[in-house]
Amino acid sequence: MLQQVNGHNPGSDGQAREYLREDLQEFLGGEVLLYKLDDLTRVNPVTLETVLRCLQARYMADTFYTNAGCTLVALNPFKPVPQLYSPELMREYHAAPQPQKLKPHVFTVGEQTYRNVKSLIEPVNQSIVVSGESGAGKTWTSRCLMKFYAVVATSPASWESHKIAERIEQRILNSNPVMEAFGNACTLRNNNSSRFGKFIQLQLNRAQQMTGAAVQTYLLEKTRVACQASSERNFHIFYQICKGASEDERLQWHLPEGAAFSWLPNPERSSEEDCFEVTREAMLHLGIDTPTQNNIFKVLAGLLHLGNIQFAASEDEAQPCQPMDDAKYSVRTAASLLGLPEDVLLEMVQIRTIRAGRQQQVFRKPCARAECDTRRDCLAKLIYARLFDWLVSVINSSICADTDSWTTFIGLLDVYGFESFPDNSLEQLCINYANEKLQQHFVAHYLRAQQEEYAVEGLEWSFINYQDNQPCLDLIEGSPISICSLINEECRLNRPSSAAQLQTRIETALAGSPCLGHNKLSREPSFIVVHYAGPVRYHTAGLVEKNKDPIPPELTRLLQQSQDPLLMGLFPTNPKEKTQEEPPGQSRAPVLTVVSKFKASLEQLLQVLHSTTPHYIRCIKPNSQGQAQTFLQEEVLSQLEACGLVETIHISAAGFPIRVSHRNFVERYKLLRRLHPCTSSGPDSPYPAKGLPEWCPHSEEATLEPLIQDILHTLPVLTQAAAITGDSAEAMPAPMHCGRTKVFMTDSMLELLECGRARVLEQCARCIQGGWRRHRHREQERQWRAVMLIQAAIRSWLTRKHIQRLHAAATVIKRAWQKWRIRMACLAAKELDGVEEKHFSQAPCSLSTSPLQTRLLEAIIRFWPLGLVLANTAMGVGSFQRKLVVWACLQLPRGSPSSYTVQTAQDQAGVTSIRALPQGSIKFHCRKSPLRYADICPEPSPYSITGFNQILLERHRLIHVTSSAFTGLG
């Protein structure tokens, strides 16, 4: 128990054993802190006992996930833990800058694969291999991973693409309940055991958004339809129909309440998977409408009635076996539900058709009772297998994206776990063979290849012993002789197969294999295979018949005659289709057995896994009873030994899980040289390139080697920066080796380099931002100056245009005003000339004029406008008011009016004005102005004369304008 797996046996040295025991006791003495160890590589020393005690302490503390180097160990809690798988927790792991620093979880593996796909250097397809025994929680783990990817990988920006992403997510999640209903069953070890293997390919586009998915299935256990072991059940869908159908559906499908069916054992056991409505809703989301669903369930009900057909042995071999009395109703009901003629269905099950001779003559031979049961079971298995394949194709057509719409994928492999029952047959042999291949893939990819790569790259490495299952695989599939080849050879021989003879051939031909065991106490023919998870005894009875999987051609032709729409689609009439029992001509084609088909599909799966970056999740079952808070050390210990977990932990703790080629290393981390002022390499570096061989590199390697040395010289700066930030784990110098073609490092060193790279990128981003801000500021200043110049020019141009328009308008107004003044002056001059001529014509010879008459004449000439004013005065105006008007017009002093004598135009004979005389009535049409104070006239001054009267009374300006006008005319 205390043997340390590190490449040598410590039992040879008593002192080493004593030190190991002391270390172990010291470690186990702090059992209170065991549940805090998130990674089993921190366990020291690494033994089965220390790992077992650590897992037990974490399991009892409700901590179900633990890291083990490159592997995640998942313990089945056997109880619902909803807060452990909530969408909020999914987003927390997705948004974390370093998810590996959070608690171990299945979401950590999911986020790691998702970020690896998003890598800018080498986006590589990822795969997650979920392994473990039946009932360890593989199906639940795969379901949680699909929900995680559906949440984090569907976050488009637009609303339309968001709707599309939601529809894809819903369809991918809805494929789970449908496939579990038709492909899972309740076994002795697991209430929801997958009876088929599936590889789910989640397809991502260039933006790392999920665009679709594809499902590939492997080896459906179709024999479970007609044969169930004791205390086990059929597929979930049969129980869902019987428990969840409505009254009308029961009448249509002939499923009365409490009906008993031979192929429906243990119907009283309830299971969480018996949810008929969930299955129907999921099928509806996948595009299977309600009529098609009813057709599917009707066919499944027909299979249940087909299983109730029991035959009675015939006394005469020439007569076919007849169904029992209570089975006649089942025959009629099954034929009705399957759309087949009752007599034809019964005849095809009772009578076998044989073709013999060169002319291919047809012979009809009645079948014995056992053969009738076999043909009945074969008919049911054929229908169910075709129906399951059709469902998978419908699911793929619903969720699969076009080839051009996705670039990378993340694969989820969920296969049946290792099985060992009291009665093991071909199904268990294929299942355990698949688990052996997956274990060998893990060993070859991680344990063996990693250590061999260390040696090739020139690293100093002491090899660690591990359990290699290659001898077991050689026993099962080796060439030229193996168990599979012997079973296939028995199928090709045209003779009845004997179970004892097959056992003898296997034991004789493979006697030298260390993985082949013998059980001499067993009365039944069998052989034992020592698998990596433990020995399993396989019975040889019926092994060859199951491997042949014969399908009588008459049964296929029978189903082609069905009137049921679903069966018509599953079994189309195709004359080119040939079965195994119809070889063309005399040449017999090689029989394609179940083992051959399964081996070919398994090889294709492994090729896909080899082309991806694998991640491993080991599911561990704490106990076989499925009880919570129960940790059985013996059962867990056997699982740890079987999967080689201790060797994995030891190699992970001592090895370098991160390996990058020289070119990729330089391309990604050449930015770190900015942190070191002197990039010359020398022997004084605290991080020398360990393991550099003395060889003559190629030109490319010679170019990359000094760059790698420069990057390594920046590690002290990164370590000091990590110590300043307070991260003691990253401040410790981590080992790093530079091989011939790759650089090897640990996770802590990778985190240190990534932190330094992020710091340099941040500095570069700040420099770029500063330069861009400076450039943008200068551009803005130049733009502002240009804008100001443009605005000033536009303002000056607008002002100049405005002044020019005002000057032009003023010139027009001035010219019009001058013209009007001239016209008025001309009219006034004409009137004055007429008055003067008349006056002087009356007294031309009067030379002796008195001074009084001279002054009066000058007053009349000077003050001629007074006549205009008095002529326009209202008739009712009194003498005093007329005098006021005269004073106002003449601007006389307010003295005694008697001293002045004014003669108006009416009293003077011969002095008239055409403008002074009224020319008719004048009407004013006034409209009220919208302005507030437009109708209010200010109080006029009695001494102010404005308007036209002022123009007429300014004699000096009048004479000046007149003289200038005459001068211009002259």
Side-chain angles (χ1 to χ4, degrees):
M1 182 65 68
L2 299 179
Q3 182 179 1
Q4 185 180 14
V5 186
N6 59 356
H8 65 281
N9 185 10
S12 60
D13 190 356
Q15 186 177 3
R17 187 191 302 114
E18 186 65 26
Y19 288 154
L20 177 62
R21 186 178 300 275
E22 291 178 0
D23 293 341
L24 181 61
Q25 294 298 331
E26 181 180 357
F27 172 74
L28 296 179
E31 189 173 347
V32 181
L33 302 178
L34 287 179
Y35 68 93
K36 294 184 178 181
L37 294 177
D38 293 337
D39 197 336
L40 295 178
T41 57
R42 296 166 55 189
V43 175
N44 187 22
V46 180
T47 63
L48 282 174
E49 185 175 353
T50 56
V51 172
L52 187 65
R53 296 286 293 275
C54 185
L55 290 177
Q56 183 177 6
R58 292 178 63 83
Y59 182 77
M60 300 309 293
D62 286 344
T63 306
F64 308 109
Y65 293 102
T66 308
N67 291 325
C70 67
T71 307
L72 178 68
V73 180
L75 296 171
N76 195 338
F78 290 120
K79 64 179 181 180
V81 192
Q83 69 275 8
L84 197 58
Y85 308 99
S86 61
E88 293 76 15
L89 192 62
M90 296 180 187
R91 297 186 183 93
E92 179 182 353
Y93 276 84
H94 179 59
Q98 293 181 347
Q100 62 272 16
K101 290 189 175 182
L102 300 178
K103 293 183 179 180
H105 202 285
V106 65
F107 298 156
T108 308
V109 181
E111 182 62 24
Q112 183 179 0
T113 57
Y114 184 68
R115 295 191 181 187
N116 288 351
V117 172
K118 294 176 63 176
S119 175
L120 299 179
I121 295 181
E122 291 182 354
V124 182
N125 298 326
Q126 307 290 309
S127 62
I128 301 177
V129 181
V130 185
S131 60
E133 289 190 359
S134 179
K138 300 184 300 299
T139 302
W140 173 260
T141 302
S142 301
R143 190 187 307 172
C144 292
L145 286 171
M146 291 185 65
K147 289 183 179 178
F148 175 78
Y149 289 124
V151 170
V152 303
T154 53
S155 56
S158 64
W159 175 254
E160 182 180 357
S161 56
H162 180 68
K163 285 294 185 183
I164 297 175
E166 280 188 349
R167 185 171 66 252
I168 294 173
E169 171 190 352
Q170 192 65 29
R171 288 183 178 180
I172 292 175
L173 295 180
N174 284 326
S175 64
N176 269 334
V178 176
M179 299 193 69
E180 289 182 9
F182 286 86
N184 290 19
C186 181
T187 62
L188 293 175
R189 294 190 172 187
N190 188 6
N191 291 333
N192 189 30
S193 177
S194 298
R195 307 319 302 163
F196 70 102
K198 62 176 178 291
F199 181 72
I200 304 174
Q201 191 181 68
L202 303 177
Q203 300 160 349
L204 306 176
N205 58 12
R206 296 184 182 275
Q208 285 74 47
Q209 297 174 359
M210 190 183 301
T211 60
V215 181
Q216 185 177 0
T217 59
Y218 304 94
L219 191 64
L220 173 69
E221 190 186 10
K222 56 185 179 181
T223 56
R224 184 169 290 271
V225 177
C227 181
Q228 303 84 29
S230 178
S231 301
E232 292 191 356
R233 300 202 315 173
N234 208 327
F235 292 103
H236 293 321
I237 188 63
F238 293 105
Y239 299 91
Q240 292 181 5
I241 294 174
C242 295
K243 293 181 180 181
S246 62
E247 294 297 333
D248 295 338
E249 292 171 342
R250 289 181 183 275
L251 293 176
Q252 295 177 9
W253 304 335
H254 300 278
L255 297 175
E257 191 75 28
F261 297 97
S262 301
W263 290 351
L264 205 66
N266 305 313
E268 69 281 354
R269 291 177 56 181
S270 60
S271 176
E272 296 180 358
E273 285 72 26
D274 296 341
C275 300
F276 189 48
E277 293 300 327
V278 175
T279 303
R280 299 201 67 161
E281 185 178 358
M283 295 175 70
L284 194 63
H285 283 291
L286 291 173
I288 306 175
D289 53 10
T290 303
T292 307
Q293 294 181 24
N294 294 332
N295 198 357
I296 294 173
F297 301 142
K298 185 183 70 171
V299 172
L300 295 178
L303 296 183
L304 291 179
H305 287 282
L306 186 65
N308 283 350
I309 301 177
Q310 302 294 332
F311 294 91
S314 177
E315 297 179 357
D316 187 2
E317 295 182 357
Q319 298 296 326
C321 298
Q322 297 298 325
M324 295 183 179
D325 295 337
D326 55 351
K328 294 181 180 180
Y329 170 76
S330 299
V331 174
R332 183 169 57 255
T333 305
S336 175
L337 293 174
L338 297 177
L340 298 172
E342 180 181 351
D343 54 346
V344 178
L345 172 62
L346 192 58
E347 179 183 356
M348 290 299 176
V349 175
Q350 292 173 331
I351 300 175
R352 179 161 59 101
T353 303
I354 302 176
R355 297 178 181 270
R358 295 183 178 180
Q359 290 78 20
Q360 292 292 307
Q361 296 180 356
V362 180
F363 299 93
R364 296 167 58 88
K365 178 182 178 181
C367 299
R369 177 182 177 182
E371 191 174 357
C372 289
D373 295 340
T374 302
R375 293 171 69 86
R376 175 203 62 199
D377 297 347
C378 181
L379 182 63
K381 291 186 293 183
L382 177 61
I383 294 175
Y384 195 84
R386 289 285 183 93
L387 177 60
F388 185 81
D389 294 339
W390 177 81
L391 281 174
V392 174
S393 64
V394 170
I395 291 174
N396 283 331
S397 63
S398 177
I399 66 178
C400 188
D402 297 334
T403 308
D404 300 334
S405 62
W406 61 277
T407 55
T408 55
F409 69 86
I410 299 176
L412 299 179
L413 180 61
D414 177 18
V415 295
Y416 9 61
F418 184 82
E419 293 184 351
S420 178
F421 300 117
D423 187 7
N424 301 289
S425 188
L426 184 67
E427 295 81 10
Q428 282 69 40
L429 179 62
C430 292
I431 289 173
N432 295 336
Y433 167 52
N435 282 272
E436 288 285 353
K437 292 290 288 185
L438 293 177
Q439 176 67 15
Q440 195 261 351
H441 174 265
F442 172 75
V443 169
H445 177 268
Y446 191 76
L447 301 181
R448 181 196 306 152
Q450 198 173 55
Q451 299 191 83
E452 291 178 355
E453 187 177 17
Y454 294 159
V456 171
E457 291 289 333
L459 274 69
E460 298 179 0
W461 178 262
S462 59
F463 279 81
I464 299 173
N465 295 331
Y466 55 88
Q467 181 182 1
D468 194 356
N469 64 337
Q470 188 60 43
C472 183
L473 285 174
D474 294 338
L475 173 65
I476 298 176
E477 64 170 5
S479 180
I481 300 177
S482 61
I483 294 177
C484 292
S485 64
L486 292 176
I487 296 176
N488 289 335
E489 185 178 351
E490 286 290 330
C491 295
R492 287 191 294 267
L493 296 176
N494 190 13
R495 66 180 184 184
S497 177
S498 171
Q501 186 177 2
L502 179 61
Q503 175 190 0
T504 303
R505 289 195 62 187
I506 291 175
E507 292 179 351
T508 303
L510 303 172
S513 175
C515 296
L516 182 65
H518 306 277
N519 187 6
K520 298 181 179 180
L521 300 179
S522 177
R523 297 181 180 180
E524 299 177 356
S526 61
F527 60 93
I528 298 176
V529 177
V530 182
H531 292 281
Y532 76 95
V536 179
R537 182 157 81 74
Y538 300 97
H539 295 276
T540 57
L543 202 63
V544 177
E545 286 73 15
K546 289 183 178 180
N547 189 33
K548 288 181 180 179
D549 192 21
I551 301 176
E554 56 267 21
L555 295 183
T556 304
R557 290 193 293 268
L558 170 65
L559 294 175
Q560 290 175 352
Q561 300 174 8
S562 174
Q563 301 301 318
D564 183 79
L566 179 62
L567 293 180
M568 291 173 63
L570 296 180
F571 299 93
T573 303
N574 187 4
K576 296 182 180 181
E577 184 177 317
K578 298 181 180 180
T579 59
Q580 297 176 5
E581 296 191 5
E582 289 183 315
Q586 296 296 324
S587 62
R588 185 176 297 272
V591 179
L592 188 61
T593 61
V594 173
V595 172
S596 301
K597 291 187 291 185
F598 182 71
K599 184 178 179 181
S601 61
L602 198 58
E603 290 296 333
Q604 293 179 359
L605 173 64
L606 290 175
Q607 289 180 3
V608 174
L609 294 180
H610 282 301
S611 65
T612 62
T613 301
H615 305 263
Y616 303 95
I617 299 178
R618 295 287 190 180
C619 297
I620 304 295
K621 183 168 59 174
N623 58 84
S624 302
Q625 293 76 24
Q627 298 178 358
Q629 294 292 319
T630 302
F631 192 91
L632 300 181
Q633 295 186 2
E634 293 78 8
E635 296 184 8
V636 177
L637 182 62
S638 63
Q639 298 177 60
L640 295 180
E641 290 177 340
C643 66
L645 188 61
V646 176
E647 293 86 347
T648 303
I649 297 170
H650 201 277
I651 294 178
S652 300
F656 305 94
I658 309 299
R659 53 185 65 85
V660 186
S661 64
H662 286 174
R663 173 175 292 277
N664 293 336
F665 183 81
V666 171
E667 287 180 358
R668 187 166 184 83
Y669 300 113
K670 61 184 178 182
L671 298 174
L672 297 178
R673 295 186 299 167
R674 296 172 176 265
L675 299 176
H676 200 272
C678 181
T679 58
S680 62
S681 59
D684 299 333
S685 173
Y687 287 88
K690 300 180 180 179
L692 278 175
E694 296 180 359
W695 63 306
C696 183
H698 299 288
S699 58
E700 181 180 2
E701 296 296 334
T703 305
L704 295 177
E705 184 176 353
L707 298 177
I708 295 175
Q709 292 293 333
D710 294 341
I711 296 173
L712 294 180
H713 279 280
T714 63
L715 295 179
V717 180
L718 298 177
T719 306
Q720 295 175 3
I724 294 174
T725 56
D727 195 344
S728 58
E730 294 185 0
M732 296 297 294
M736 182 175 179
H737 291 260
C738 184
R740 290 187 174 93
T741 60
K742 295 181 180 180
V743 177
F744 297 84
M745 69 189 83
T746 59
D747 290 330
S748 59
M749 177 57 69
L750 179 64
E751 293 179 12
L752 191 65
L753 292 174
E754 288 295 328
C755 290
R757 183 173 180 270
R759 192 179 302 115
V760 174
L761 289 177
E762 183 179 358
Q763 294 176 358
C764 295
R766 290 179 178 177
C767 293
I768 294 173
Q769 289 176 354
W772 169 250
R773 291 193 187 100
R774 185 167 52 253
H775 170 73
R776 191 172 65 175
H777 182 68
R778 292 175 179 175
E779 289 294 328
Q780 287 179 352
E781 286 184 350
R782 284 195 291 267
Q783 291 176 1
W784 277 111
R785 287 195 296 269
V787 167
M788 293 173 66
L789 291 176
I790 294 173
Q791 288 179 350
I794 291 176
R795 288 194 190 99
S796 62
W797 181 80
L798 292 176
T799 304
R800 186 164 54 252
K801 288 294 181 180
H802 182 64
I803 292 174
Q804 290 176 357
R805 286 195 298 269
L806 292 178
H807 182 71
T811 304
V812 172
I813 295 172
K814 181 179 179 181
R815 289 177 180 176
W817 175 255
Q818 288 178 354
K819 290 180 180 180
W820 184 81
R821 291 282 300 272
I822 292 171
R823 188 180 299 113
M824 292 298 102
C826 290
L827 292 176
K830 288 180 180 180
E831 293 180 358
L832 292 177
D833 293 341
V835 172
E836 292 177 357
E837 289 176 0
K838 185 178 179 179
H839 175 74
F840 286 106
S841 64
Q842 292 178 359
C845 299
S846 181
L847 299 176
S848 58
T849 305
S850 62
L852 178 62
Q853 291 180 351
T854 303
R855 287 194 297 273
L856 180 59
L857 181 61
E858 291 178 357
I860 292 173
I861 295 173
R862 182 176 182 182
F863 300 110
W864 69 267
L866 182 59
L868 296 177
V869 176
L870 297 178
N872 292 327
T873 305
M875 297 303 295
V877 179
S879 165
F880 179 72
Q881 293 182 355
R882 293 171 65 90
K883 292 179 180 181
L884 290 178
V885 171
V886 172
W887 291 342
C889 292
L890 299 179
Q891 297 181 1
L892 299 175
R894 295 183 182 181
S896 175
S898 58
S899 59
Y900 297 96
T901 303
V902 180
Q903 185 178 1
T904 62
Q906 287 84 352
D907 297 336
Q908 294 178 1
V911 181
T912 59
S913 175
I914 58 174
R915 286 180 296 171
L917 298 177
Q919 300 297 326
S921 62
I922 299 175
K923 296 181 181 180
F924 296 92
H925 301 276
C926 300
R927 180 177 296 176
K928 188 175 181 180
S929 175
L931 303 177
R932 172 177 289 183
Y933 301 105
D935 299 330
I936 300 176
C937 181
E939 185 68 22
S941 175
Y943 305 105
S944 63
I945 299 175
T946 59
F948 181 71
N949 295 331
Q950 182 180 2
I951 298 173
L952 296 179
L953 297 178
E954 291 180 356
R955 177 59 178 170
H956 59 283
R957 294 182 62 184
L958 178 61
I959 296 173
H960 175 72
V961 172
T962 304
S963 62
S964 63
F966 286 145
T967 305
L969 292 175

